[in-house]
């Protein structure tokens, strides 16, 4: 006999689990199954935040939360964040015994610094609420049911079919085109997938061998993509990383793809120093006999980077501050305020990456995460064209959209 469920959740990640739990808690007795393709659930939660799981971010204003941190979804997520935002997420985890802590940069982690704490919490909540979890159960296709008994037919990998009244698609950002194919009977389209949150590859003498050096803050600009950002920059063995770079890669995920990840990047190493040339001139009097290369006048610029910028400005070797030629001084100002680097490609940021693209938000009712084309079909998490910058925003989108989908499905079950 064909199995029949009130709700089938496709995908056992953060959004699928949260949606299933919310639905089960609000509609007691509902028969809910999570179908997960792989042999483990919550795999991304496990590896997230370097194994610590950056659950959310210290930003309690729903409006600011959405507008500032979601390159895709900054407008669409405002309403959802008011309904279930950071405050509600923290309360939910804390009410289940997960203690959370906020780090200096606003990222929120479990105090255990262990993602297993979050996994245990979600699995226990699902279990307590009576959710069934099936691993190694890939859903190949989803279609309207021909039987009067249920609304949807789900075709599984082993050729089995199951029936469900409601379906939550929470298949994440990897293999988005497969997720779209799975629901193509419902006329949904797909915003093409593009990587987001990556680092910049730069082959340049000024930074060769300086990996590990970070400068905070810098301001950066990619003129040809109309992008800028401000924040800490980290020099790596391949180029530039750090929050300022990752943020730029997220806001520019599509534009930088269109440039084939080849572009000019301008860096202001001293964004808070207004009169850089004046400071260099002052050094002439303060330390005239000292060598320019070995006496950096700006505290937050590491000595080794300063020396490279001095070389790039073609300051004569062993030149003293008192004899620094005006031409060299102006070239040095250019290096400090407008260093141009050529970015020749991108690398994966292993700490966190996401996919831009997915089911377009205008095809989804953002109050319920229900398809605008087919009743009973819901979406949550990264499968929707929503993604955030690094810092806990991507999980917050999964909790928020999972909550809305779960509660809306529960309401429909209760309404019969
Ligand atoms: C290395 C790394 C670290 C990260 N760290 C953080 C962090 O600390 N904080 C943060 O906010 N974000 C982080 N992210 C991003 C975050 O993990 C994702 O945005 C989030 O997991 C999305 O949740 P989801 O449930 O939508 O998708 P996923 O977590 O990808 O879950 C989707 C699930 O669906 C399953 N699936 C897919 N297709 C099918 C199918 N046809 N049938 C059945 N099952 C299917 C997949 O196997 C998967 O288990 C990180 C990402 C990476 C890659």
């Amino acid at each position: 006999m064909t199995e029949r469920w009130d709700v089938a959740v496709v995908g056992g990640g953060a959004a699928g689990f949260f949606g299933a739990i919310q639905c089960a808690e609000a509609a007691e007795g509902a028969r809910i199954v999570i179908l997960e393709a792989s042999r483990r659930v919550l795999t991304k939660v496990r590896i997230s935040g370097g194994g610590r799981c950056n659950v959310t971010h210290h930003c309690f204003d729903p409006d600011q939360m959405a507008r500032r941190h979601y390159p895709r979804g900054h407008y669409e997520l405002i309403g959802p964040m008011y309904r279930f935002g950071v405050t509600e997420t923290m309360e939910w985890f804390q009410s289940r015994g997960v203690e959370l802590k906020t780090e200096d940069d606003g990222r929120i982690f479990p105090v255990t610094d262990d993602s297993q704490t979050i996994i245990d919490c979600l699995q226990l909540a699902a279990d307590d609420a009576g959710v069934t979890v099936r691993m190694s159960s890939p859903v190949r296709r989803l279609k309207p049911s021909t039987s009067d008994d249920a609304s949807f037919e789900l075709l599984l990998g082993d050729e089995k079919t199951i029936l469900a009244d409601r379906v939550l698609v929470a298949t994440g950002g990897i293999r988005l085109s497969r997720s779209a194919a799975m629901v193509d009977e419902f006329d949904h389209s797909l915003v093409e997938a593009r990587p987001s949150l990556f680092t910049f590859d730069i082959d340049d003498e000024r930074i060769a061998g300086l990996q590990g050096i970070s400068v905070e803050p810098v301001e950066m600009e990619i003129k040809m993509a109309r992008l800028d950002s401000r924040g800490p920059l980290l020099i790596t063995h391949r180029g530039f990383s750090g929050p300022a770079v990752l943020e730029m890669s997220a806001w520019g995920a599509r534009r930088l793809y269109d440039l084939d990840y080849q572009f000019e990047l301008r860096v202001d190493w001293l964004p808070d120093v207004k009169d850089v040339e004046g400071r260099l001139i002052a050094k002439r009097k303060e330390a005239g006999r000292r060598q320019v290369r070995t006496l950096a006048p700006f505290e937050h610029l590491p000595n080794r980077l300063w020396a490279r910028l001095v070389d790039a400005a073609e300051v004569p070797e062993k030149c003293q501050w008192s004899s620094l030629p005006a031409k060299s001084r102006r070239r040095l100002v250019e290096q400090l305020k407008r260093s141009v680097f050529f970015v020749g490609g991108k690398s994966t940021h292993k700490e966190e990456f996401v996919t831009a693209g997915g089911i377009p938000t205008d095809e989804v009712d953002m109050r319920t995460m229900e398809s605008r084309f087919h009743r009973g079909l819901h979406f949550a998490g990264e499968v929707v064209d929503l993604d955030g910058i690094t810092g806990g925003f991507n999980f917050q989108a999964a909790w928020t959209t999972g909550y809305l989908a779960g509660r809306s499905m529960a309401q429909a079950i209760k309404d019969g």
Side-chain angles (χ1 to χ4, degrees):
M1 211 179 76
T2 312
E3 273 179 40
R4 189 190 156 280
W5 296 85
D6 294 321
V7 173
V9 176
V10 189
F17 254 79
F18 211 64
I21 294 166
Q22 292 304 332
C23 183
E25 287 182 349
E28 230 179 284
R31 299 189 66 241
I32 301 169
V33 65
I34 297 177
L35 301 163
E36 166 55 45
S38 65
R39 279 181 297 156
R40 290 179 100 166
V41 289
L42 299 165
T43 43
K44 275 210 205 159
V45 174
R46 188 177 306 279
I47 57 169
S48 66
R52 297 198 297 142
C53 188
N54 177 193
V55 188
T56 184
H57 200 92
H58 191 270
C59 178
F60 298 101
D61 176 343
D63 201 74
Q64 298 284 317
M65 178 72 183
R67 279 182 205 276
R68 296 223 177 134
H69 306 107
Y70 292 91
R72 269 69 47 192
H74 48 277
Y75 173 72
E76 295 83 346
L77 278 170
I78 296 173
M81 287 293 173
Y82 272 102
R83 289 181 199 104
F84 194 86
V86 178
T87 308
E88 294 78 10
T89 300
M90 289 183 71
E91 277 169 12
W92 191 86
F93 280 105
Q94 283 162 339
S95 71
R96 278 156 182 84
V98 176
E99 275 185 70
L100 297 169
K101 61 168 178 179
T102 305
E103 303 209 327
D104 292 346
D105 58 6
R107 292 181 302 162
I108 294 176
F109 293 89
V111 292
T112 55
D113 278 332
D114 187 352
S115 57
Q116 191 61 43
T117 307
I118 302 299
I119 295 177
D120 290 345
C121 171
L122 292 170
Q123 285 191 314
L124 188 65
D127 205 35
D128 282 351
V131 174
T132 301
V133 181
R134 294 244 175 103
M135 266 83 85
S136 305
S137 302
V139 176
R140 301 279 181 234
R141 208 164 177 76
L142 185 62
K143 50 184 198 173
S145 174
T146 46
S147 116
D148 290 340
D149 224 22
S151 304
F152 298 94
E153 270 178 43
L154 294 95
L155 275 58
L156 302 190
D158 55 7
E159 304 301 319
K160 250 199 204 153
T161 298
I162 65 169
L163 301 176
D165 287 337
R166 307 208 144 239
V167 171
L168 170 59
V169 176
T171 44
I174 300 171
R175 301 192 200 96
L176 270 180
S177 52
R178 274 203 211 164
S179 299
M182 194 174 82
V183 294
D184 71 0
E185 301 252 350
F186 303 99
D187 295 328
H188 278 289
S189 53
L190 175 77
V191 179
E192 257 189 277
R194 300 284 179 252
S196 181
L197 296 178
F198 48 82
T199 61
F200 296 167
D201 291 352
I202 298 168
D203 184 9
D204 191 298
E205 275 191 2
R206 285 168 293 179
I207 56 166
L210 297 190
Q211 56 266 27
I213 283 184
S214 73
V215 185
E216 181 180 1
V218 302
E219 273 179 18
M220 303 193 304
E221 189 187 13
I222 305 170
K223 255 212 166 116
M224 56 210 295
R226 297 182 314 282
L227 287 168
D228 49 42
S229 77
R230 178 189 164 97
L233 178 146
L234 172 72
I235 300 175
T236 69
H237 67 291
R238 295 187 66 113
F240 288 157
S241 181
V245 170
L246 293 169
E247 192 168 329
M248 223 173 195
S249 79
W251 287 97
R254 294 194 173 279
R255 277 174 271 168
L256 299 181
Y257 171 90
D258 291 342
L259 294 173
D260 200 17
Y261 306 108
Q262 311 221 342
F263 50 86
E264 268 185 10
L265 172 75
R266 211 157 78 170
V267 181
D268 178 351
W269 298 102
L270 303 166
D272 295 333
V273 183
K274 291 291 164 262
D275 183 13
V276 171
E277 186 156 21
R279 291 275 290 270
L280 298 182
I281 291 170
K283 215 67 197 159
R284 186 187 268 261
K285 289 192 193 126
E286 286 167 27
R289 295 185 148 212
R290 301 281 304 273
Q291 280 186 25
V292 176
R293 200 174 187 276
T294 53
L295 184 67
F298 307 100
E299 302 81 46
H300 86 289
L301 206 61
N303 290 340
R304 290 167 70 205
L305 177 61
W306 162 259
R308 295 293 177 84
L309 296 177
V310 169
D311 292 345
E314 296 170 42
V315 171
E317 229 189 308
K318 299 200 173 144
C319 175
Q320 295 177 338
W321 279 103
S322 57
S323 50
L324 179 65
K327 255 191 185 169
S328 303
R329 192 179 65 227
R330 282 195 288 273
R331 281 199 299 263
L332 190 49
V333 174
E334 279 300 298
Q335 286 296 332
L336 292 164
K337 295 294 284 179
R338 287 172 287 277
S339 270
V340 176
F341 291 88
F342 182 73
V343 176
K346 67 165 181 58
S347 290
T348 305
H349 173 61
K350 295 194 181 72
E351 290 272 304
E352 180 177 355
F353 52 90
V354 282
T355 309
I359 303 294
T361 46
D362 59 3
E363 296 182 7
V364 178
D365 180 338
M366 293 298 291
R367 291 165 303 180
T368 58
M369 300 312 292
E370 189 170 25
S371 160
R372 290 197 186 276
F373 304 152
H374 200 90
R375 291 200 65 181
L377 176 62
H378 296 252
F379 297 96
E382 222 180 294
V383 71
V384 185
D385 184 24
L386 300 167
D387 59 272
I389 59 173
T390 182
F393 303 102
N394 286 299
F395 277 138
Q396 185 57 59
W399 314 133
T400 298
T401 54
Y403 173 89
L404 294 179
R407 288 295 162 129
S408 153
M409 293 189 298
Q411 193 57 50
I413 292 170
K414 286 195 281 189
D415 292 346

